[in-house]
Amino acid sequence: MFFACTKGSFVGRRFAMPFMVLTHTGASIIRAFLFGSALIALGVTAPLSDAQKVELTVDVSKAGAKIDRNIFGQFAEHLGHGIYEGIWVGPDSKIPNTRGIRKDVVAALKAIRVPNVRWPGGCFADEYHWRKGIGPADQRVVSLNPNWGGVTEPNTFGTHEFMDFLDQIGSEAYVSVNVGSGTPQEASEWLEYLTTAQPTTLAKERATNGHPAPYKVAYLGIGNESWDCGGNMTPDYYLNQLKIYSRFVRNFNPAQQNKQQMLKIAVGPGGGEPRWTEWTEAIMKAHQNHSWSWEINGLSLHSYTVVRWPPAFKSVGFGEAEYSQILKSTLDMEDLIGKHSAIMDKYDPEKKVALVVDEWGGWYAPLPGSNPGFLVQQNSMRDAVLAALNLNIFARHADRVRMANIAQMINVLQAMIITDKEKMVLTPTYYVFKMYMPFQDATFVPVAFDAGMYTHDKITLARVDAIAAKDHAGKLWLELTNVDPNEPVEIEVNLGGVTAKSAAGETLTAPKVDSVNTFDAPHAVEPKPISAKALGGKLALKLEPKSVTVISVEE
Ligand code: AHR
C-alpha cells in the first residue's frame, strides 16, 4: 500500500506508564501530587465533592526556562490535500488567492502567529528534488508521490511558493533536505540558490525566477526518519551522512552569519525502545566531541498518538472509551522526552542541542471514503485536550524542548484547518494554538497542585493539568485542562503571597468528546470568554468537563 512507508516506525513505540505523569524538568520545580493514585493503591475512594476541587499554587517568585515559541511550529508535507488545495490553489483559481496561495488560510494562520513551518516532508522530503519545483510554472516537471497515494506531483508549489507562503503568514522556514535519495551536492546547491547574496549562477537563476534578494532559512532538517522511510539507515551510516551534510549544506545569507545562524536539526528517535535510545546515544556521543567541521543544534523526535499500528481509532463517532485510551497514550510523550533528554544530558549537560519534536499529534483511521494515502481525519474536542496536554509537556521541558511541529497544518492528520474547495473550517486544535499564543516565548513559572483523578473502565488519568508562565510584560498566564469528560472541576488558584485581583480569558469545551467543527456547523467547538472571581486574594473558577482554559491574572 502506498501509505505504508511508516508502518514499522510505530510498532512497539508504546511503553507502560503509571496512572499519570505530570511534572518537572531540570531546575524547575513543578510538582503534581499523585494523591489520587495513592488512594487507588490503598483501595480508598475519595469523596466525589473533594475530588472535584483542585487547589493550585503558582510560585510567582520562581522563573523557569523560556517557552520557545517554536514549540508551536507546524508541519506541511506534500501529502494528500495538505499543500495542493490546502495552501495552493493557483493564481487562476476562483478561490481568493494571492499569487496562488489561498487568502482565507493565510489569514487564519497569521492570526495564530505560526513561528516556523517544516517543509516539504516527512517521507516526501527524502524523494524531493528541488529543481523540479522552480522556474516557469508551465514548464515544471510532473513527478510522482509514491509515499502518499501514488498520485502525481505537479511541482507547482516549490521553493518560491513556499517562501512566499511563509512571507504571507509571517513565519520562518524549516527546510528538510533530501538525504535518502538526494546527494550532498544537490542539497548544498539548494541552499546556495536560496541564501547567497553573491552574484553566483544559482543566485542569478533565483533572481530570474523572481527573487533577487537572498531568502532566510532559519532551520535545516538533515533527512527525515532516516531509520525508516528515509533510507533504513543504521545510526552509524546516518551519522556519516549527517557529518557530510552538516559540513557542506551551508547557509550563505549575510544577515544570518553571526547570532542568527541557520540551526541544523539531525534525525533523532521515533520511540522509546532500545533501537531508539541507541540512536540518540550514537548521535549525541559523536556530537559531544564534534570537530569544527560539523555541528548540530537540534535532534528531532517523532511521536504520534496512535495506540496501535495501523491507526484504527475513529476521529469522529467515538465515545469515552476511545477518548480515555487516546489521552492515556498521548501522555507517553512525557516518558519519551524524559528518556531522550536524559541521554542528551549525559553528552550535552549545557543543553546546547535542542530536542525538536517535529512530528506529533493524533493519527487515526482515514475517514471513510477518503484516499487512505491522504491521511484524512476529523479533529474533535479530544484533539483539543490532546494538544493541550502535549503543549504542557513541552513547556515543562522548555529547557530542552525548544521546537515542535504538529502533524500536520492543513487537511492531514491533526490539522489546524480543513478545506474543501472554497470552504474552510478551523478545528478545535486550531483554537488551542490560538489560545496558547500568550505562552509564545513566555517564561515558565512552576505550579503545584493535586491533579485528582479521572477513571474510565481500566484507565485512570490525572483529572487536571496546568502550566503557568509570565509574558514579556510580566503578566501571569495560566493554562488549565480538565481531562474529565463528565465532571466540572472547581479550581482555586493561590499566587503564593501575591494577591490576585481578577482573571479572565477563554475556555474551549464542547457537548461531546467527539464534537467537531464541520462546514455546515463551523462554530460547534469555539472558545468562549471566562472569568475568575477573586476571593481573599485567591482566584476561583470552574472548569467545564473536557475543557482547555487559558486566563491571564491581574495582580
Ligand atoms: O506525517 C506523516 C508521516 O509520518 C511523515 O511523512 C513521516 O515522517 C512520518 O512517519
Side-chain angles (χ1 to χ4, degrees), residues 6 75 77 79 122-123 148 224-225 302 304 359 363 375 408 413:
T6 56
F75 173 34
E77 179 167 14
L79 193 176
C123 297
W148 304 117
N224 171 74
E225 299 192 354
H302 288 186
Y304 286 95
E359 286 189 30
W363 189 327
L375 311 187
Q408 298 194 4
L413 299 176

Side-chain angles (χ1 to χ4, degrees), residues 301 333-341 355 393-394 397 401:
L301 166 68
M333 183 66 86
E334 171 67 41
D335 279 1
L336 207 50
I337 290 176
K339 199 173 245 184
H340 291 287
S341 295
L355 188 58
I393 292 171
F394 302 154
H397 289 274
V401 178

Side-chain angles (χ1 to χ4, degrees), residues 276-406:
W276 307 117
T277 51
E278 282 157 22
W279 185 282
T280 301
E281 280 272 347
I283 309 286
M284 293 305 296
K285 191 172 180 187
H287 191 257
Q288 183 180 29
N289 299 312
H290 71 89
S291 72
W292 64 270
S293 62
W294 76 283
E295 190 186 19
I296 59 167
N297 311 95
L299 182 75
S300 110
L301 166 68
H302 288 186
S303 177
Y304 286 95
T305 302
V306 66
V307 182
R308 346 171 234 286
W309 190 261
F313 277 65
K314 288 185 186 167
S315 57
V316 65
F318 58 85
E320 194 172 345
E322 295 86 348
Y323 172 83
S324 53
Q325 285 175 63
I326 285 288
L327 294 186
K328 178 181 179 337
S329 172
T330 213
L331 291 167
D332 287 354
M333 183 66 86
E334 171 67 41
D335 279 1
L336 207 50
I337 290 176
K339 199 173 245 184
H340 291 287
S341 295
I343 300 170
M344 294 175 84
D345 285 352
K346 215 163 58 173
Y347 300 109
D348 173 34
E350 291 175 37
K351 300 186 196 294
K352 288 186 178 158
V353 179
L355 188 58
V356 176
V357 190
D358 54 12
E359 286 189 30
W360 69 274
W363 189 327
Y364 311 124
L367 279 185
S370 67
N371 182 333
F374 283 11
L375 311 187
V376 179
Q377 61 189 45
Q378 247 300 357
N379 193 296
S380 68
M381 188 60 219
R382 178 180 64 187
D383 293 297
V385 175
L386 183 156
L389 293 175
N390 280 280
L391 291 170
N392 290 359
I393 292 171
F394 302 154
R396 291 189 191 102
H397 289 274
D399 54 352
R400 181 66 83 178
V401 178
R402 299 195 287 272
M403 189 156 158
N405 299 74
I406 190 166

Side-chain angles (χ1 to χ4, degrees), residues 5 63 73 88 119 134 366 465 508:
C5 85
W88 180 257
W119 175 84
I134 58 165
D465 192 24
L508 184 71

